[in-house]
Amino acid sequence: MTTTTLLTRIALDDALVAEDHAEECGFLDPLDRITCPVHRRWIHQCCHSDLHVSQVSGHRWCRPCKRALEVAVDEVLGTVALRCPKCARGSHTRADAQLIAACEASLAAASRTVRRAA
């Protein structure tokens, strides 16, 4: 395991523990996490999973088409975009904005860890 990979893993583990604790104490909304408690990864690395689709809250969901939105994560530019595969609708809802913000914060946290290790 390279030093960069080890430091990135340590930073992720620390972030997971901190967010787990903050969520349990009521200081963090589960939908604002930048880490995933299920996959134990940065949220931008697993937000494409069907587990991150919620018809109730609208996260990664196109209500008119009744379909999951596709996720495009650009780790170089640090951007995230959502798109419906049927109607091509982009992100319009508060839930979409919340997921994009969490993913962009996750990307930034992961890249800070890599830069610090280099």
Side-chain angles (χ1 to χ4, degrees):
M1 183 178 275
T2 67
T3 303
T4 301
T5 305
L6 180 60
L7 290 172
T8 302
R9 185 78 222 162
I10 291 169
L12 172 60
D13 290 343
D14 289 345
L16 281 160
V17 169
E19 286 194 337
D20 289 346
H21 182 69
E23 185 181 342
E24 288 167 10
C25 294
F27 294 116
L28 179 65
D29 183 319
L31 299 173
D32 287 330
R33 291 182 65 122
I34 66 170
T35 61
C36 175
V38 175
H39 298 106
R40 308 305 286 173
R41 302 186 62 92
W42 296 108
I43 195 69
H44 74 272
Q45 294 174 330
C46 64
C47 64
H48 62 279
S49 168
D50 287 343
L51 288 175
H52 293 285
V53 176
S54 174
Q55 295 176 29
V56 174
S57 67
H59 287 83
R60 279 202 50 223
W61 189 249
C62 180
R63 284 195 171 108
C65 297
K66 296 180 176 37
R67 288 183 157 218
L69 299 177
E70 296 174 340
V71 181
V73 177
D74 188 327
E75 293 193 34
V76 175
L77 296 176
T79 60
V80 179
L82 301 175
R83 182 184 159 282
C84 175
K86 184 175 180 184
C87 70
R89 175 184 76 81
S91 57
H92 292 290
T93 67
R94 180 177 175 274
D96 295 339
Q98 187 177 32
L99 178 60
I100 289 170
C103 287
E104 288 176 348
S106 169
L107 278 163
S111 70
R112 275 194 306 275
T113 304
V114 171
R115 278 195 302 260
R116 215 176 296 139

